[in-house]
Amino acid sequence: MNNSILIRAAGVIVVSLLLILFLSIVSPLNSNHGAAYRCRSCGTSNSEQQASAQTAEIKSLEGQEKEEAVEKALSTKEFQLVASILSEIGYQPSLDDSTAMRAKKVVDHKPTEYMVVGIRFVGDPKSRLVFAVVFVKPYQEATVYRADEDYRILEVLVRAEKGRVTGGKLVPTIQANQVINPIDHAFLTGVPPPSCSPPCGTCQFCFQECLAYDIPQLIYCCAYCIGFPNLTVVVMCVGLYCPSCFYTNCISWNSYCRDCTPDTSYLPECMGCP
C-alpha cells in the first residue's frame, strides 16, 4: 500500500472518529445532555430540527448522475477560478475523491432544488484535508476549505461567487481598513465580526468574511448533518440546511471596505452609487 493510500485511509478514519464523537455528544442517550437542545443559530429545538429534516430531501449521487454533476462543477467559472489559485501553491483536484448530492428544501414557501459537489484537492505538504464545495444549482459558487489543527479548525482558503473571486486566506485584500482577528486556539468559540475602522468612504461598504470555523461547534450546531460519512459531505449539508451555523461559529474574521457595484445597490451605503 503506497503512502497516498495510507494518508487517505488515515484521513477517513480520523473524520469518522470525529463524527462518532459528536454523535455521542448530541445523542439523547448521553446523560450529560437532555433529549432536546437549543440550536444556537436557528433557535429551534433538537426535536423541531428533526421534524423539519424529515421534510427535506437529500440524495447522494452515484454513477452517471455523479459524473455529470462533477463535470458541471468542473466547468463552472467559479471552480476554475479557485482551482487556478490553488494550483499556484501546488494543490490539484483529485476526481477519485469527489462526491455529489441533490437536495430539496423549502425557501420562502417554495420548493427549491440544489445540486452540490465536493471535490478533494491533493498536494498539501502537511497532508491536511483540502476540498472544494461547489454549488452548481440553483446558483454557482465555489469555496475551498482546509481542515487544520487536527481537524478542529476549518479554514476558508478561497471563495468565488458570480464569476469572480470574493475572498479567503489565499486572496490578500488590497483595500485599507483590514482587521483580522487572531485565532485563540485555547478557547475556540464563535466571535462577532469586527467593523471596518475607520468607517468606509463614499460608495463603499464594510465587507465581513469568515476565514476559519470551529468544526466541532459547526457540527453540533447542525446536528441533522452529523450522520454523513465524511467531513466534506457534512460541510455540504451544513451549507444547505443550517447556513446560519457558519456565521455563529466563525472564529476568525476579515473585515475591509469594498467598492459598491450594481449587485450591491440594495445596500444603504450603495444606494445612488454608479
Side-chain angles (χ1 to χ4, degrees):
M1 186 178 294
N2 59 41
N3 290 337
S4 62
I5 295 178
L6 285 173
I7 291 171
R8 185 183 306 168
V12 172
I13 292 172
V14 169
V15 173
S16 299
L17 290 175
L18 178 68
L19 295 182
I20 292 172
L21 170 63
F22 291 107
L23 182 60
S24 67
I25 290 175
V26 300
S27 172
L29 300 178
N30 189 323
S31 60
N32 295 326
H33 299 269
Y37 69 95
R38 301 300 298 178
C39 174
R40 295 191 296 136
S41 64
C42 55
T44 59
S45 67
N46 187 35
S47 57
E48 289 168 344
Q49 266 199 305
Q50 294 299 332
S52 64
Q54 291 175 1
T55 64
E57 298 179 26
I58 185 166
K59 176 185 177 183
S60 178
L61 303 182
E62 300 294 341
Q64 184 175 352
E65 278 190 306
K66 174 182 173 181
E67 292 178 4
E68 291 177 353
V70 171
E71 185 176 349
K72 289 180 180 178
L74 295 175
S75 66
T76 64
K77 185 175 182 179
E78 290 73 19
F79 176 80
Q80 294 173 5
L81 284 171
V82 299
S84 65
I85 292 175
L86 290 181
S87 67
E88 295 178 2
I89 57 174
Y91 289 125
Q92 296 297 328
S94 174
L95 300 186
D96 293 337
D97 297 319
S98 60
T99 184
M101 66 169 60
R102 181 183 291 115
K104 291 182 180 180
K105 72 171 186 175
V106 177
V107 179
D108 294 332
H109 306 289
K110 297 180 181 179
T112 303
E113 183 174 292
Y114 293 79
M115 183 180 292
V116 192
V117 176
I119 300 175
R120 178 85 176 268
F121 278 79
V122 296
D124 186 80
K126 297 182 180 179
S127 301
R128 290 168 294 190
L129 176 64
V130 179
F131 58 93
V133 173
V134 186
F135 280 81
V136 179
K137 185 179 178 181
Y139 52 85
Q140 293 184 348
E141 177 181 311
T143 304
V144 178
Y145 300 95
R146 181 172 65 194
D148 207 350
E149 296 292 326
D150 296 327
Y151 291 88
R152 176 81 196 198
I153 297 174
L154 189 66
E155 301 174 293
V156 179
L157 297 186
V158 60
R159 177 184 291 111
E161 307 167 70
K162 297 182 179 180
R164 61 190 180 91
V165 175
T166 57
K169 296 187 69 173
L170 298 182
V171 186
T173 58
I174 59 175
Q175 293 92 339
N177 308 328
Q178 184 176 179
V179 180
I180 299 179
N181 284 356
I183 297 175
D184 183 356
H185 298 281
F187 188 65
L188 296 182
T189 57
V191 297
S195 59
C196 290
S197 179
C200 300
T202 303
C203 287
Q204 288 187 326
F205 64 97
C206 186
F207 181 77
Q208 299 162 319
E209 66 168 336
C210 183
L211 297 180
Y213 304 95
D214 183 344
I215 293 179
Q217 290 300 322
L218 192 66
I219 297 174
Y220 181 84
C221 180
C222 192
Y224 168 63
C225 297
I226 230 170
F228 290 99
N230 58 60
L231 186 58
T232 306
V233 183
V234 168
V235 172
M236 292 164 65
C237 177
V238 173
L240 278 169
Y241 293 111
C242 315
S244 58
C245 290
F246 282 104
Y247 183 88
T248 58
N249 294 289
C250 179
I251 56 178
S252 182
W253 291 91
N254 182 20
S255 295
Y256 58 92
C257 292
R258 177 181 287 183
D259 293 333
C260 293
T261 65
D263 290 336
T264 60
S265 59
Y266 65 92
L267 295 174
E269 302 93 329
C270 297
M271 291 183 177
C273 295

